[in-house]
Amino acid sequence: MGLLYFSTLGDGGSRHAYAHAFTVTLMLNLVLSLLALAFVTPLRKAAAAAPVSA
């Protein structure tokens, strides 16, 4: 996330540049969180169906 933030920020030192870099990073974080959430139910089903070995 830091790499994306600072590469989006570039050499800009204005408030707009910081706000834009933060917004881009925040959107990527949201997309990745929703993608991870989409895998929760299938992984739980797979874990429940897997045989337990001790």
Side-chain angles (χ1 to χ4, degrees), residues 11-42:
D11 292 334
S14 67
R15 286 186 174 188
H16 176 72
Y18 281 103
H20 176 68
F22 179 76
T23 304
V24 169
T25 307
L26 187 65
M27 289 299 131
L28 178 64
N29 203 357
L30 176 66
V31 167
L32 291 176
S33 296
L34 291 175
L35 184 64
L37 185 63
F39 285 106
V40 169
T41 303

